[in-house]
């Protein structure tokens, strides 16, 4: 995912964020600089899980599984304890992406992915797979021709044809190997990730995959996954910004076309990297409704809620102001209330992380304070956690 929304910060919120940032900065100026200040006991203490908390998974048992993305090292220590207390579903944040599994053609590195699978099994949790095909975090060897040249740059039509064939064969072998290894352990699979891009020709992301094979890579990947995994596997097309009508409708058109051709797609994965203001909860539900009407399942696959809207590069400062945490709680509460009411539209909600001590957003699009999840950096429940579990 490369952005969180297409909307500008409303002036009122912008002013309060600037004001909050200024306050934090001023408080920093009046005392010793942060660098010299002794670490507060809270900051230096090893985070510990609160014993008496309700469990998200239990609270939502009637509705859908609740999950979190994790790295292999989070299968130990306090994060592991929090995961065990709170979720019944996991996905590898990075360990099952193509660059992690197959650094060279025909050679696989399963160890990190296996650790996550083992942890899930030991703790009775389900797993999602993310992701068989993507344009990022994919090793170069896929796209090199027999002579080592860049397939996407080839202009000779006969060679382009041969390259397409070779790439689809490689993809078929890759998908078959990975699905065969994990088909007993993992039910829901992201087969392709982020293939729609309304700004690119035909609304299809101009990735190496698309430049070399057209939509052939999507067909090959889904068919190979079904063939290797059997009818029980649930196969998803995953993307961000699926609430945006232009993107949603292009995705809908593609999926409909592929289904008509017999491509085995079971559902749409909605990443749902949202922020404090956008998109509206209605637009998230509306999109799931549209795919549901096509006979498809929906999953929320990468949920988090940034404190900042798209294009806002400000920083709230070291401590997130209470009013922002409150706003986040209200919005998380509103989202989950709508998901409960519409539970027949979806079969799971996966967070992209478990606590604010580990989130991709603290370095993207700039390094700054972020707090997009339900637990804070010390693994303590935030107001948003209460908003989601008190119902
Ligand atoms: C996208 C991908 C994820 C992850 C996030 C950032 O949403 O689908 O795998 O890389 O970006 O963490």
């Amino acid at each position: 995912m490369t952005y969180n929304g297409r909307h500008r910060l409303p002036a009122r919120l912008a002013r309060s964020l600037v004001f909050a940032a200024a306050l934090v900065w001023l408080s920093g100026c009046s005392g010793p600089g942060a660098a010299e200040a002794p670490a507060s006991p809270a900051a230096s203490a090893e985070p510990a899980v609160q014993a008496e908390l309700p469990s998200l998974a239990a609270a939502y048992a009637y509705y859908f599984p609740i999950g979190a993305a994790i790295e292999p090292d989070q299968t130990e220590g306090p994060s592991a304890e929090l995961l065990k207390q709170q979720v019944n579903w996991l996905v590898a944040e990075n360990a099952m992406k193509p660059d992690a599994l197959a650094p060279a053609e025909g050679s696989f590195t399963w160890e990190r992915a296996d650790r996550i699978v083992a942890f899930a099994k030991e703790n009775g949790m389900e797993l999602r797979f993310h992701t068989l095909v993507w344009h990022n975090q994919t090793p170069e060897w896929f796209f090199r021709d027999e002579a080592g040249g860049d397939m996407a740059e080839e202009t000779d039509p006969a060679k382009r044809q041969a390259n397409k064939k070779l790439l689809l064969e490689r993809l078929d072998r890759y998908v078959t190997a990975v699905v065969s290894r994990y088909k007993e352990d993992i039910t829901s699979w992201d087969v392709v990730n982020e293939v729609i891009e309304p700004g690119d020709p035909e609304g299809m992301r101009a990735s190496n995959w698309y430049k070399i094979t057209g939509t052939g890579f999507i067909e090959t990947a889904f068919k190979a996954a079904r063939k290797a995994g059997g009818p029980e596997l649930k196969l998803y097309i995953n993307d961000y910004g699926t609430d945006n009508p232009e993107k949603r409708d292009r995705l809908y058109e593609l999926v409909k076309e592929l289904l008509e051709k017999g491509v085995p797609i079971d559902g749409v994965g909605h990443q749902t990297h949202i922020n404090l203001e956008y998109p509206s909860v209605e637009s998230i539900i509306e999109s799931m409704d549209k795919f549901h009407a096509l006979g498809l399942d929906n999953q929320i696959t990468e949920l988090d809620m940034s404190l900042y809207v798209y294009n806002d590069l400000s920083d709230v400062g070291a401590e997130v102001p209470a009013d922002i945490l409150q706003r986040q709680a209200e919005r998380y509460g509103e989202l989950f209330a709508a998901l409960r009411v519409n539970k027949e539209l979806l079969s799971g909600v996966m967070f992209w992380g478990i606590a604010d001590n580990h989130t991709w957003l603290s370095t993207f699009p700039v390094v700054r304070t972020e707090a997009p999840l339900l637990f804070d950096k010390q693994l303590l429940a935030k107001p948003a956690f209460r908003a989601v579990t008190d119902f």
Side-chain angles (χ1 to χ4, degrees):
M1 145 91 204
T2 41
Y3 88 100
N4 280 333
R6 296 187 194 282
H7 310 276
R8 293 194 54 77
L9 189 63
R12 189 179 44 81
L13 184 69
R15 275 195 303 276
S16 62
L17 289 181
V18 168
F19 182 57
L23 279 182
V24 170
W25 183 79
L26 280 174
S27 65
C29 290
S30 59
E36 305 110 62
S40 71
S44 59
E46 169 85 339
V49 175
Q50 293 161 281
E52 298 303 325
L53 280 187
S55 144
L56 283 166
Y60 281 83
Y62 169 72
Y63 298 95
F64 32 72
I66 302 275
I70 70 163
E71 295 290 5
D73 63 5
Q74 292 177 294
T75 59
E76 280 162 17
S79 295
E81 294 314 308
L82 183 59
L83 290 161
K84 288 188 227 173
Q85 182 192 59
Q86 291 296 329
V87 303
N88 52 2
W89 206 28
L90 294 176
V91 67
E93 184 176 347
N94 288 292
M96 295 187 188
K97 289 175 179 170
D99 62 347
L101 291 182
E105 184 162 16
S107 96
F108 291 90
T109 42
W110 306 113
E111 191 267 335
R112 289 168 57 78
D114 285 354
R115 271 167 62 195
I116 293 178
V117 174
F119 178 74
K121 279 189 183 167
E122 278 157 28
N123 295 291
M125 299 167 177
E126 299 286 322
L127 285 156
R128 283 194 97 239
F129 185 94
H130 177 79
T131 171
L132 288 167
V133 182
W134 194 21
H135 61 282
N136 277 331
Q137 293 181 254
T138 298
E140 265 305 302
W141 61 259
F142 273 106
F143 311 113
R144 295 279 150 196
D145 64 22
E146 303 281 15
D150 183 348
M151 288 184 177
E153 297 295 310
E154 183 58 62
T155 51
D156 177 72
K159 287 189 184 155
R160 284 187 61 82
Q161 201 48 39
N163 284 344
K164 174 174 175 178
K165 186 164 173 282
L166 176 59
L167 180 54
L168 293 178
E169 281 163 9
R170 279 180 180 153
L171 177 60
D172 185 272
R173 280 197 293 274
Y174 175 76
V175 169
T176 304
V178 177
V179 172
S180 303
R181 184 172 183 93
Y182 294 122
K183 65 181 178 196
E184 307 298 336
D185 306 314
I186 307 184
T187 334
S188 313
W189 291 68
D190 282 342
V191 178
V192 298
N193 189 32
E194 303 181 344
V195 301
I196 300 293
E197 174 44 68
D200 283 351
E202 286 137 56
M204 295 298 299
R205 181 180 301 284
S207 64
N208 277 344
W209 290 111
Y210 187 70
K211 286 192 215 152
I212 301 161
T213 77
T215 52
F217 74 101
I218 306 177
E219 293 186 35
T220 297
F222 274 96
K223 287 182 177 163
R226 173 65 78 229
K227 185 157 180 245
E232 298 303 313
L233 250 54
K234 294 277 172 263
L235 308 178
Y236 294 82
I237 183 165
N238 194 51
D239 217 318
Y240 64 90
T242 51
D243 53 88
N244 171 303
E246 195 188 356
K247 188 156 180 182
R248 175 197 70 199
D249 293 351
R250 182 64 188 96
L251 178 61
Y252 181 90
E253 203 183 303
L254 173 74
V255 170
K256 193 160 178 289
E257 215 173 276
L258 292 170
L259 287 172
E260 281 161 8
K261 278 182 160 177
V263 178
I265 303 176
D266 296 307
V268 175
H270 304 261
Q271 291 186 4
T272 323
H273 293 291
I274 63 176
N275 64 53
L276 277 189
E277 299 294 322
Y278 300 100
S280 70
V281 167
E282 291 72 30
S283 68
I284 294 173
I285 301 292
E286 224 172 274
S287 178
M288 293 199 288
D289 207 26
K290 184 161 182 154
F291 290 103
H292 180 74
L294 196 55
L296 293 175
D297 181 37
N298 294 283
Q299 293 188 336
I300 290 189
T301 56
E302 303 183 18
L303 179 61
D304 51 20
M305 189 188 295
S306 172
L307 306 182
Y308 312 93
V309 298
Y310 180 55
N311 264 346
D312 171 16
L313 299 182
S314 69
D315 188 337
V316 298
E319 294 299 326
V320 184
D323 61 331
I324 295 185
L325 290 176
Q326 195 43 44
R327 168 79 190 110
Q328 182 181 54
E330 283 160 19
R331 186 150 148 79
Y332 259 124
E334 190 198 341
L335 173 63
F336 275 81
L339 295 176
R340 291 194 301 271
V341 169
N342 292 284
K343 79 178 186 61
E344 76 285 354
L345 298 183
L346 70 160
S347 66
V349 175
M350 183 70 80
F351 285 89
W352 204 243
I354 184 68
D356 294 340
N357 64 344
H358 178 82
T359 162
W360 69 295
L361 290 171
S362 55
T363 54
F364 178 86
V366 288
V367 175
R368 60 181 165 185
T369 296
E370 257 291 16
L373 298 162
L374 303 186
F375 295 87
D376 70 12
K377 286 190 156 65
Q378 296 301 313
L379 311 187
L380 304 177
K382 292 162 64 181
F385 174 83
R386 308 285 174 190
V388 165
T389 48
D390 283 355
F391 62 88

